[in-house]
Amino acid sequence: SQQGEEDPQALSIQEGENATMNCSYKTSINNLQWYRQNSGRGLVHLILIRSNEREKHSGRLRVTLDTSKKSSSLLITASRAADTASYFCATDTGRRALTFGSGTRLQVQP
Amino acid sequence: DAGVIQSPRHEVTEMGQEVTLRCKPISGHNSLFWYRQTMMRGLELLIYFNNNVPIDDSGMPEDRFSAKMPNASFSTLKIQPSEPRDSAVYFCASSLGTGQGYGYTFGSGTRLTVV
């Protein structure tokens, strides 16, 4: 079963707008990670947030984590056409390998 | 570093044939993972290794699937005999460790089509 579930499944925005994706999970975690996958390619690690952190930034990316609600969000600010991809959250429970969510397909219109 | 290298990139085979997928992890990474991606089931962990030892193979669908890691720089995933429902993209990934807060580096995947 999926540990992480992303919402929405698909998102279409205009270039320059912000994109927000959400991830919910079921069990306690050590950390949560976000990955990007371009069409026909492998996943690329974007950012990791630990269970004792609430917010983290990396360039145009902002990740939040609410362990009480078992949820995380990924915000991409000032989106570009090159941000078009699928985005996945992955949970690390410390007991086995990462479990990936079902992903959000982001389309950024130029 | 060239990253995680998988071969072949594409494989088309007939039902019943043996298929072998190959992976070279990043040098120095201690953990290696095999995932399968389909539209219906998303990304599923098949098996992972720590220091060349299989740790968790609970995701391997059935006895038709086997994986080996004879040394730190090479792993194979074998399907024998293959079936149409095995059609998917198979990813290999490696990391510095498991459960310690390390990100994974993925290969480009092998797209397997069983006809």
Side-chain angles (χ1 to χ4, degrees):
Chain A
S1 63
Q2 299 282 1
Q3 161 72 322
E5 294 294 334
E6 281 91 337
D7 169 59
Q9 289 188 345
L11 179 62
S12 182
I13 60 174
Q14 296 294 126
E15 211 165 22
E17 294 180 339
N18 295 342
T20 300
M21 288 158 270
N22 302 297
C23 169
S24 60
Y25 57 93
K26 298 174 183 174
T27 63
S28 61
I29 59 172
N30 284 357
N31 66 78
L32 186 143
Q33 305 179 24
W34 286 90
Y35 289 77
R36 182 187 74 231
Q37 183 180 32
N38 291 88
S39 180
R41 310 288 293 179
L43 282 76
V44 175
H45 181 259
L46 295 176
I47 193 166
L48 179 154
I49 186 164
R50 301 187 189 280
S51 60
N52 60 354
E53 298 176 309
R54 290 298 168 257
E55 188 171 312
K56 202 161 183 180
H57 297 252
S58 177
R60 294 184 296 113
L61 304 180
R62 172 179 169 252
V63 171
T64 61
L65 179 64
D66 187 334
T67 54
S68 67
K69 295 181 179 178
K70 291 186 171 57
S71 67
S72 174
S73 67
L74 172 67
L75 169 67
I76 304 174
T77 59
S79 62
R80 307 166 181 168
D83 295 329
T84 293
S86 291
Y87 292 81
F88 295 86
C89 67
T91 51
D92 186 348
T93 63
R95 293 185 292 277
R96 67 191 306 263
L98 292 180
T99 302
F100 287 83
S102 51
T104 293
R105 294 189 311 279
L106 173 65
Q107 177 76 43
V108 181
Q109 307 285 353
Chain B
D1 200 319
V4 175
I5 300 173
Q6 290 187 247
S7 64
R9 284 298 310 274
H10 303 274
E11 177 82 32
V12 180
T13 190
E14 291 185 346
M15 183 173 62
Q17 296 298 307
E18 177 180 295
V19 175
T20 300
L21 311 182
R22 297 172 176 80
C23 175
K24 177 179 168 53
I26 290 177
S27 177
H29 279 191
N30 297 326
S31 299
L32 182 139
F33 312 86
W34 284 100
Y35 283 87
R36 178 171 68 177
Q37 186 176 38
T38 61
M39 289 293 292
M40 290 297 294
R41 300 176 67 88
L43 269 162
E44 302 174 280
L45 175 72
L46 299 176
I47 186 172
Y48 79 93
F49 298 82
N50 274 350
N51 297 315
N52 313 338
V53 176
I55 302 300
D56 182 355
D57 65 353
S58 61
M60 296 286 262
E62 48 200 270
D63 292 345
R64 298 186 297 108
F65 285 68
S66 62
K68 294 181 180 179
M69 192 164 185
N71 56 62
S73 59
F74 185 64
S75 177
T76 59
L77 178 67
K78 186 177 293 187
I79 308 173
Q80 164 65 17
S82 58
E83 296 181 3
R85 60 188 167 132
D86 301 330
S87 297
V89 181
Y90 291 80
F91 287 104
C92 176
S94 69
S95 76
L96 288 168
T98 307
Q100 299 170 44
Y102 297 114
Y104 292 5
T105 302
F106 280 76
S108 296
T110 295
R111 181 174 295 277
L112 173 65
T113 303
V114 183
V115 298

